[in-house]
Amino acid sequence: MDALSSPFLTGGNLLLSPPISTSRPPFSMAITSVFTEETPKTVKRTNADSPSPRRPPPPAMAKGPSTTRLEPSLPARFFNAFDDLINNFINPPVSPSVDPRYVLADNFAPVDELPPTECEVIQGSLPSSLNGAYIRNGPNPQYLPRGPYHLFDGDGMLHSLRISNGRAVLCSRYVKTYKYTLERDAGHPVFPNVFSGFNGLTASAARGAVAAGRVLTGQYNPANGIGLANTSVAFFGDSLYALGESDLPYSIRLAPNGEIETLGRQDFDGNLFMSMTAHPKFDPDTGETFAFRYGPLPPFLTFFRFDKNGAKQSDVPIFSMNRPSFLHDFAITKKYAVFTEIQIGFNPMLMIMEGRSPVGTDPSTVSRVGLIPRYADDESKMKWFDVPGFNLIHAINAWDEDDAVVLLAPNILSVEHTLERMDLVHALIEEVRIDLKTGIVTRRPLSTRNLDFGVINPSYIGKKNRFVYAGVGDPMPKISGVVKLDVSQEERRDCIVASRIFGPGCYGGEPFFVPRERESSDETALEEDDGYVVSYVHDENSGESKFIVMDAKSPKLEIIAVVKLPRRVSYGFHGLFVKESDLRKL
């Protein structure tokens, strides 16, 4: 099949790419797949998408392991009824941003687990150096939400494509968090939805009372963790983790046959508590990993690192961050860790006075970028720089340059829509340069396109890089294609040098760059963009999902391999490619 003529995958340069439409709603179809609770003893799980009048159903999905349900206790029945009262009368899902009928439409609808299943390579061939596993995390609710539901509220599910000698095996498994396992065994939801369940004082008080009642009656213990592990995957200290920033990491393992196993919640010998970012930064030169946690109470930011063996080092509390900012990501250089204090933060008054979520925007706040030496014992040498209107959700990279620090990141221009109307979000990738001698901050836009989920060759983390691969929002959170940017092109107004649009009705997710491995010791050193860009892509017209491999060096990001997946893979968040040599360490 010719990739350039295929309706599934079309490509070209910037001028050939179709314009992005921002006028249509982000979710337009009915829910096609959910897990529904029919009786207290059993749960009906739909293993195939329900037929839709707008498209044929995809192939049936394999069933996950069966589980025997226990009869709900009297307190559980009471609080379930109270939950229904809240969801139906006190705080029903009236806004599309928290209405499951919209949030879980199209390929955002959940899927069941899938045991290791052989896949067919339908175009080209998988490169010989592409041995390992591409693992992508994302929200996949175990049960049909009873009330308001935000995209960020779903249980974590890992979709792993294990590649070996040109063959591919797909496996999809929930991260067996404390929350997931407890609710699976109970046969009904127990934990409140964090992002959508506390909008307004009345709803928050009611749901808080239910949560407290469940704890007091022994239905769950929050000390065991409340997180979803639904955001990303990280490999450090020869261990693999599923991450979500509201909890500790969950250690996972990939078996040789492709099976995904959850090993348990990891507190690193008692040295890590409360939570950790879902975006730790691994330094490939030192083997260290840098991370942080943030929260609504001082210190609002705490910085820490892991040594090359995965042992956690001491916390460095940052009290100079003077308000509870929404801090999802950060960057490192060889000298510094780079944090941002943005216009999104925790503001309980929004909930009390306006009946809104306690997480919201404050347009009067001036955004700041903070630099702290990455081996600092305290925050005494941390410096903050005002960068008005700069709202970073995802960082791409940062590096040291003479007496300056350079940061690459998408800037959310319409920050007020970040959590409620992602379809209205426009992210402009910028280069921010901070002169450490003068304190002057200069900014340069790298493209006018709506881009996010930018990635680089992981060998260049913390060092000056030239190429960035980013997803095209059409609109966010759907990704209609991938672009390649050359950030060294200072004379160019737009740094996009290659583009691949997936085609009408076809959407992917975050791209990931996999460096090509040298085939022999005689081969010359590889260039920065010598490798592959990979992603899952779903065709909403046919209901089929595929895994694509693009040549990162080619001028049009040419497709060199397409793997047909045995069933639909729902949209998600962040992924990682783990080399076979690293998988053996698990």
Side-chain angles (χ1 to χ4, degrees), residues 537-570:
V537 176
H538 180 74
D539 187 337
E540 294 185 355
N541 302 303
S542 65
E544 294 182 345
S545 294
K546 299 178 183 180
F547 173 78
I548 65 170
V549 181
M550 294 167 273
D551 180 0
K553 286 182 69 71
S554 67
K556 295 183 180 180
L557 299 178
E558 300 289 354
I559 305 296
I560 61 175
V562 177
V563 178
K564 182 179 179 181
L565 303 180
R567 67 90 185 269
R568 180 171 65 85
V569 171
S570 54

Side-chain angles (χ1 to χ4, degrees), residues 30-53:
I31 297 176
T32 58
S33 174
V34 291
F35 303 158
T36 57
E37 175 69 8
E38 294 200 328
T39 69
K41 293 184 178 181
T42 61
V43 176
K44 179 182 177 182
R45 297 189 175 193
T46 56
N47 293 309
D49 288 353
S50 301
S52 166

Side-chain angles (χ1 to χ4, degrees), residues 491-509:
E491 72 282 0
R492 296 174 61 101
R493 187 169 184 178
D494 198 304
C495 293
I496 294 179
V497 294
S499 176
R500 166 68 51 178
I501 301 301
F502 299 137
C506 297
Y507 301 96

Side-chain angles (χ1 to χ4, degrees), residues 272 276 290-293 302-306 312 314-315:
L272 181 65
M276 185 180 113
F290 298 82
F292 69 93
R293 67 173 175 270
T302 301
F303 174 51
F304 53 89
R305 63 186 173 91
F306 302 86
K312 182 184 175 295
S314 300
D315 285 346

Side-chain angles (χ1 to χ4, degrees), residues 113 177 222 229 298 458 477 553:
E113 293 189 310
T177 63
K553 286 182 69 71

Side-chain angles (χ1 to χ4, degrees), residues 83 86-87 90-100 103-104 141 144-154 179 191-205 207-208 228 351 355-359 419-420:
D83 235 350
I86 298 170
N87 294 325
I90 298 177
N91 183 223
V94 294
S95 169
S97 64
V98 293
D99 188 338
V103 180
L104 295 178
L144 174 67
R146 290 177 171 175
Y149 173 84
H150 192 277
L151 180 63
F152 299 166
D153 284 326
K179 173 187 180 299
F191 290 64
N193 288 332
V194 174
F195 279 92
S196 59
F198 298 91
N199 292 322
L201 186 60
T202 303
S204 299
R207 289 199 173 91
L228 303 163
M351 178 181 68
R356 295 165 53 191
S357 168
V359 180
L419 298 178
E420 295 186 359

Side-chain angles (χ1 to χ4, degrees), residues 510-528:
E510 175 193 57
F512 193 83
F513 180 90
V514 184
R516 184 174 69 84
E517 296 183 359
R518 295 175 64 179
E519 298 180 0
S520 68
S521 58
D522 297 332
E523 189 175 1
T524 58
L526 301 179
E527 296 180 332
E528 180 185 336

Side-chain angles (χ1 to χ4, degrees), residues 52-72:
S52 166
R54 297 178 60 177
R55 61 178 172 86
M61 298 184 292
K63 288 182 177 291
S66 61
T67 303
T68 302
R69 311 296 182 192
L70 300 176
E71 186 75 21

